[in-house]
Amino acid sequence: MKRILILLLLGSGIFSSCNFLETNPEDFVTPENYYKNEADMERALGGVYNRLIDQYGRMYSRGLYSFLVISDEFYYKGISINDLRVMDFDAGHLDINKLWEVIYSGIDRANLLLENINTPDMDDDRRNEIRGEALFLRAYYYFLLTDNFGGVPLKLASTKSPTEPYLPRTSVKDMYAFIVKDMREAETLVSDISAYNYNERITKTVVQAVLARVFLTMAGEPLKDVARYNDALTYADKVIASGRHSLNPDYKQIFINHSQDKYDIQECLWEVGMYGNQLGSVMLAGRVGLENGVECPDDEIGYSNGPLKPTGRIFKLYGEGDLRRDWAIAPYKYVVTAGVTSKSFYTPTQIYERTVGKWRREYELATPKSRGYSSTNFPVMRYSDVLLMKAEASNEVKGAPDADAYEAINMVRRRGYGKPVNVPDADADVPAGLDQEAFRQMVRDERGRELAFEGMRKHDLIRWGIYISNMQSLAVEAAAEAPSAYKYSANAAKNTTPRNVLFPIPSTELTVNHLVTQNPNW
């Protein structure tokens, strides 16, 4: 069903099969007898994409929108102590170690492909496209590492021997210089999205939008390279000027489309494609709609125990008339009474009892539905994010919001209020006459509303330099206002200290690589 599935399926097993019954196996895949033609290169590229999905849930199948991005927008049901989900962990934690390993395995696969890109006799245009996708994915993997761990070893050659010398950490500044260089080269090589009718491949506007995100990150903490706001604005404008993308007029339909395995390449520039129920040899499913879904005990509707619960802060961030609140945050759960499943709606005061509701399994079309996994894609980049990046960067570059910055944020808000996106609306539009600081705060709040539970909140708070202060104030806020049964919702915030701006370098890496130093306070 998912268009990139064939790449992932075929690529995931590269260099791992062998017929052990033969003395001289002929089907053992090595670089020397692989990369013979275009099909081999496509499969190798699939292996690079494959690391975006980790069968144990550390990448976009689960972790990068849940337990690895704890912020002030949600807490975990029933978990109060001794768990990564309440920020109680150390450098030996399995999920942190495995995140590091999975990302580096993607980098190693990209390195191997790039080393052999000129080997086969194939169409040069397609060769360049594959090279561009691999360059981007390698750079994106390094972006994830740098964003989460700080400076890391920069490895630009595939692993050929277990005795290869280890590498020290590269500075954050130099890591970003490399990421930008490779992404800019990729921009010149990858296809336009018009070449596809799906959005799981890296295309030109994907690269441009992610570069805007990278530049905004560089402009904030820890580099504070404010000149990069100009670059962020340039790249957001490239996406907008391309004319390839637009806002879906119905906010909730974005996520219904995901649940129904439908592509919307206008709104969603890039999605990580999931497939199936994680049964058999196909390990490409995720937990979108389960990990972050409406509480439901009924397998036919779509099981979820509703583990992610919104904080009172994110609930109150939405204004009166903002339709996004009761879609992003479920207004009901499913209950079974006398053998009949029905919706039970929360009262206005039941805020901490609710669950995340963006991806609702009741809309899934694939059956039978699994209790453990879904085929629902996860969006890495949406057009509304591009518009909000433009508004933010423009305000920082020009010292105050101009008409274009207002229009970018207002388009997103109008859609959120159910209004036509190109028609000014007094109920939805940002008040006129805001100074730079007031508009800055408006953009920050709007990103919280629009992109809630999409894995961006922690990243944004860190680059704005307010992650620790926001978590500390959340701890006080939740302890004061949450019902007694939900006071534990403050525990993750209570446990968050300055060291949590970065993950610790995994103990598995420190044990073998003595050139690598640990992050502060770990």
Side-chain angles (χ1 to χ4, degrees):
M1 173 271 304
K2 300 298 172 71
R3 300 304 180 88
I4 203 168
L5 171 64
I6 188 65
L7 281 177
L8 294 173
L9 288 177
L10 296 175
S12 60
I14 288 176
F15 311 132
S16 63
S17 64
C18 178
N19 182 348
F20 292 101
L21 297 179
E22 296 185 24
T23 304
N24 297 304
E26 296 179 357
D27 66 344
F28 188 86
V29 182
T30 67
E32 289 72 29
N33 63 21
Y34 201 68
Y35 300 112
K36 299 293 187 183
N37 49 49
E38 184 172 323
D40 288 348
M41 300 306 296
E42 293 282 4
R43 285 189 288 269
L45 179 61
V48 184
Y49 273 100
N50 176 270
R51 295 295 76 196
L52 294 167
I53 306 169
D54 167 43
Q55 62 178 303
Y56 300 108
R58 280 97 189 191
M59 296 291 283
Y60 286 109
S61 54
R62 185 183 184 189
L64 291 180
Y65 54 78
S66 59
F67 58 82
L68 294 173
V69 290
I70 302 294
S71 73
D72 63 355
E73 64 181 359
F74 66 81
Y75 68 99
Y76 263 86
K77 172 183 177 181
I79 298 177
S80 58
I81 59 172
N82 302 328
D83 198 286
L84 173 62
R85 292 157 181 79
V86 289
M87 305 297 278
D88 185 6
F89 64 98
D90 58 27
H93 195 282
L94 178 63
D95 288 316
I96 302 301
N97 282 257
K98 289 300 181 181
L99 175 67
W100 176 280
E101 292 176 14
V102 169
I103 296 176
Y104 266 112
S105 71
I107 290 167
D108 204 56
R109 292 180 182 191
N111 285 335
L112 187 58
L113 185 156
L114 292 167
E115 288 165 2
N116 290 276
I117 190 66
N118 293 318
T119 300
D121 182 12
M122 61 180 288
D123 178 78
D124 283 337
D125 288 340
R126 184 61 195 131
R127 188 197 312 275
N128 286 333
E129 290 166 357
I130 291 173
R131 182 170 184 269
E133 290 176 70
L135 282 170
F136 174 87
L137 288 169
R138 181 176 68 176
Y140 188 74
Y141 287 135
Y142 274 122
F143 177 52
L144 291 177
L145 283 171
T146 306
D147 201 34
N148 284 287
F149 295 95
V152 297
L154 181 59
K155 191 171 186 296
L156 300 179
S158 64
T159 301
K160 299 175 179 63
S161 167
T163 61
E164 290 178 2
Y166 289 103
L167 299 171
R169 298 178 70 170
T170 297
S171 71
V172 170
K173 180 180 179 180
D174 288 344
M175 286 303 306
Y176 276 111
F178 165 78
I179 291 164
V180 168
K181 178 185 71 68
D182 265 18
M183 286 190 179
R184 278 179 159 162
E185 183 176 357
E187 181 190 7
T188 68
L189 298 171
V190 298
S191 296
D192 188 273
I193 197 167
S194 61
Y196 307 104
N197 59 0
Y198 59 99
N199 51 13
E200 296 168 2
R201 300 292 289 257
I202 302 306
T203 58
K204 194 171 298 292
T205 47
V206 170
V207 178
Q208 292 163 349
V210 173
L211 270 167
R213 181 179 290 174
V214 168
F215 285 128
L216 280 181
T217 307
M218 296 172 71
E221 298 282 354
L223 290 182
K224 301 181 184 178
D225 185 0
V226 295
R228 295 301 186 171
Y229 282 120
N230 287 282
D231 295 313
L233 181 58
T234 295
Y235 274 88
D237 279 337
K238 282 186 177 186
V239 178
I240 295 167
S242 73
R244 300 299 188 193
H245 303 283
S246 60
L247 295 175
N248 187 314
D250 186 349
Y251 183 74
K252 68 179 183 298
Q253 192 61 45
I254 301 166
F255 310 102
I256 293 174
N257 286 340
H258 291 151
S259 297
Q260 296 184 338
D261 300 329
K262 296 177 180 177
Y263 295 109
D264 175 2
I265 64 175
Q266 280 71 47
E267 170 79 34
C268 296
L269 282 70
W270 181 25
E271 297 175 4
V272 173
M274 313 293 175
Y275 177 82
N277 291 333
Q278 208 80 345
L279 300 175
S281 60
V282 181
M283 299 297 181
L284 297 174
R287 290 183 58 85
V288 180
L290 292 89
E291 181 83 355
N292 48 3
V294 178
E295 186 173 347
C296 178
D298 191 313
D299 290 343
E300 290 190 12
I301 293 173
Y303 175 84
S304 172
N305 69 348
L308 289 193
K309 304 181 80 64
T311 62
R313 174 176 291 179
I314 190 70
F315 185 87
K316 292 182 291 185
L317 193 61
Y318 293 93
E320 186 69 27
D322 192 332
L323 304 179
R324 293 172 296 184
R325 188 195 71 183
D326 286 346
W327 189 262
I329 301 170
Y332 58 83
K333 64 180 177 179
Y334 283 95
V335 297
V336 178
T337 305
V340 177
T341 304
S342 62
K343 291 179 180 178
S344 175
F345 284 83
Y346 298 105
T347 68
T349 60
Q350 289 179 305
I351 296 174
Y352 285 82
E353 290 90 334
R354 303 182 186 216
T355 64
V356 174
K358 272 191 168 175
W359 295 274
R360 304 187 183 188
R361 302 201 68 200
E362 62 203 73
Y363 290 95
E364 290 178 14
L365 301 178
T367 57
K369 297 177 183 179
S370 167
R371 275 195 159 224
Y373 298 93
S374 76
S375 61
T376 301
N377 280 9
F378 185 80
V380 180
M381 181 63 70
R382 294 198 288 113
Y383 187 60
S384 58
D385 194 345
V386 176
L387 291 173
L388 293 175
M389 288 193 290
K390 174 186 171 61
E392 179 179 353
S394 177
N395 183 51
E396 299 299 336
V397 168
K398 298 170 184 177
D402 62 7
D404 287 344
Y406 268 104
E407 183 63 10
I409 190 173
N410 284 337
M411 288 175 68
V412 176
R413 287 181 58 81
R414 290 166 196 158
R415 195 259 301 273
Y417 281 74
K419 307 297 179 67
V421 299
N422 295 314
V423 180
D425 185 274
D427 292 330
D429 287 1
V430 171
L434 298 180
D435 62 16
Q436 184 183 42
E437 179 55 36
F439 191 83
R440 179 185 294 141
Q441 188 59 50
M442 185 63 72
V443 171
R444 290 179 177 184
D445 288 346
E446 194 60 30
R447 287 186 66 82
R449 289 182 280 262
E450 173 69 19
L451 303 172
F453 317 121
E454 294 183 41
M456 291 305 300
R457 182 67 172 170
K458 179 183 178 183
H459 167 85
D460 282 344
L461 293 176
I462 288 173
R463 69 180 177 87
W464 293 329
I466 59 175
Y467 179 60
I468 301 303
S469 61
N470 265 42
M471 294 299 279
Q472 290 172 344
S473 64
L474 177 70
V476 176
E477 182 181 304
E481 71 175 27
S484 57
Y486 295 95
K487 293 295 185 185
Y488 72 88
S489 66
N491 285 11
K494 287 179 182 177
N495 292 333
T496 302
T497 66
R499 75 176 188 171
N500 294 114
V501 168
L502 294 173
F503 285 140
I505 302 299
S507 57
T508 51
E509 180 70 17
L510 294 172
T511 299
V512 299
N513 184 358
H514 299 296
L515 298 179
V516 169
T517 56
Q518 183 57 278
N519 284 326
N521 302 314
W522 286 104

